[in-house]
Amino acid sequence: MSLTQSQIARQERMLEVATRLATEGGFDAVQMRTVAEDADVALGTLYRYFPSKEHLLVSAMLRQIGELAGRLTVKPPAGSDATERVIDVLRRANLALQRQPHFTLAVVRALASGDETVAPAVRQVRVSMRSIILAAIGEGTTARDELVGEVPEEVWLSALVSWISGGDSAQSVIRKLQAATTLLFEARDCLGRRGRRAARPRRRQRPRPAPRSAHRAARAGHHVRAPRRRAV
């Protein structure tokens, strides 16, 4: 269902307030009543747009991914090939969230909540991030590329969880993203080369000509006999 301009403006206010509260105080700081008051909407209106706090936070993350897509349009991913461009996209997405650790922690908690109301927003996050990655791969993407595009997005979300839980430093996360993306695209290119070789038509081998003696024997209607040995 499409929204009117006033509804879009109302939704933006709610997302803006939720982002601010999460950035300042994390998951627990985002209270639905406070969001409604600061966004100047009724509490029922807030719940009509966002059925739960988790849904609201994941939607705030989706909004940030949309902003990333806009920045990438203005300043496209750097790199001479698909691997370098995808690494640049993941690096920029990661740095944007690492600047807001409390917000990122709140979003990760919302993503992992298991709340049924969050599932549509989580799917939108994945689809949006995958679209950005496919755009970085470039034109002429294949079905294999679309499958490959899912993996960096999964690695990126996993890396966020590892960083926010203290398992990895910010620098370590970026190194892992670079290594995983490089290995993935090397494997993709290798499979592509194998597929092209397999699809290439084989040259038909011409039959080797039979020995001249066999031709003469065939015309004479008998087999070639071995020469007799002379008696010494």
Side-chain angles (χ1 to χ4, degrees):
M1 183 180 67
S2 59
L3 300 177
T4 65
Q5 289 298 320
S6 61
Q7 288 173 325
I8 292 172
R10 192 178 302 128
Q11 184 182 59
E12 279 297 305
R13 288 202 309 274
M14 292 183 280
L15 290 172
E16 183 65 39
V17 170
T19 300
R20 175 175 57 79
L21 293 173
T23 301
E24 293 172 353
F27 186 85
D28 293 333
V30 182
Q31 300 297 321
M32 297 296 272
R33 187 173 298 278
T34 305
V35 173
E37 290 174 355
D38 289 3
D40 194 25
V41 298
L43 185 59
T45 301
L46 175 61
Y47 275 105
R48 196 159 57 247
Y49 282 80
F50 307 103
S52 67
K53 178 167 78 170
E54 290 79 8
H55 187 281
L56 174 61
L57 284 167
V58 175
S59 298
M61 182 184 189
L62 180 62
R63 177 172 173 262
Q64 291 209 353
I65 292 174
E67 292 173 353
L68 172 65
R71 292 194 299 272
L72 289 168
T73 302
V74 175
K75 184 182 178 183
S80 58
D81 57 24
T83 304
E84 293 180 355
R85 290 192 296 271
V86 171
I87 288 173
D88 189 55
V89 164
L90 296 176
R91 181 186 61 80
R92 288 162 70 172
N94 213 50
L95 289 174
L97 289 173
Q98 286 176 347
R99 294 189 193 103
Q100 311 168 83
H102 293 306
F103 172 80
T104 304
L105 176 57
V107 167
V108 168
R109 283 185 60 179
L111 285 168
S113 66
D115 188 334
E116 291 182 358
T117 66
V118 182
V122 173
R123 280 195 295 271
Q124 282 184 288
V125 165
R126 295 183 183 279
V127 168
S128 297
M129 198 63 196
R130 197 175 308 145
S131 297
I132 291 174
I133 291 169
L134 288 174
I137 291 174
E139 295 182 1
T141 53
T142 64
R144 181 184 288 117
D145 290 330
E146 293 183 8
L147 182 61
V148 166
E150 296 181 14
V151 180
E153 166 245 323
E154 296 285 353
V155 174
W156 173 66
L157 288 174
S158 176
L160 278 180
V161 173
S162 181
W163 169 70
I164 210 68
S165 62
D168 282 306
S169 66
Q171 293 76 15
S172 176
V173 165
I174 291 175
R175 284 196 300 270
K176 285 184 177 180
L177 289 173
Q178 290 174 337
T181 305
T182 300
L183 289 172
L184 176 67
F185 279 87
E186 284 178 353
R188 182 202 68 153
D189 294 341
C190 180
L191 288 172
R193 287 192 295 270
R194 287 182 181 177
R196 286 191 294 271
R197 283 200 297 268
R200 194 178 300 158
R202 295 184 178 182
R203 294 178 61 184
R204 296 182 61 184
Q205 293 184 350
R206 298 177 63 183
R208 296 177 62 183
R212 295 177 65 183
S213 57
H215 282 296
R216 286 197 299 268
R219 284 197 296 267
H222 58 78
H223 296 289
V224 178
R225 295 180 179 178
R228 297 180 177 178
R229 288 186 175 181
R230 291 184 178 181
V232 179

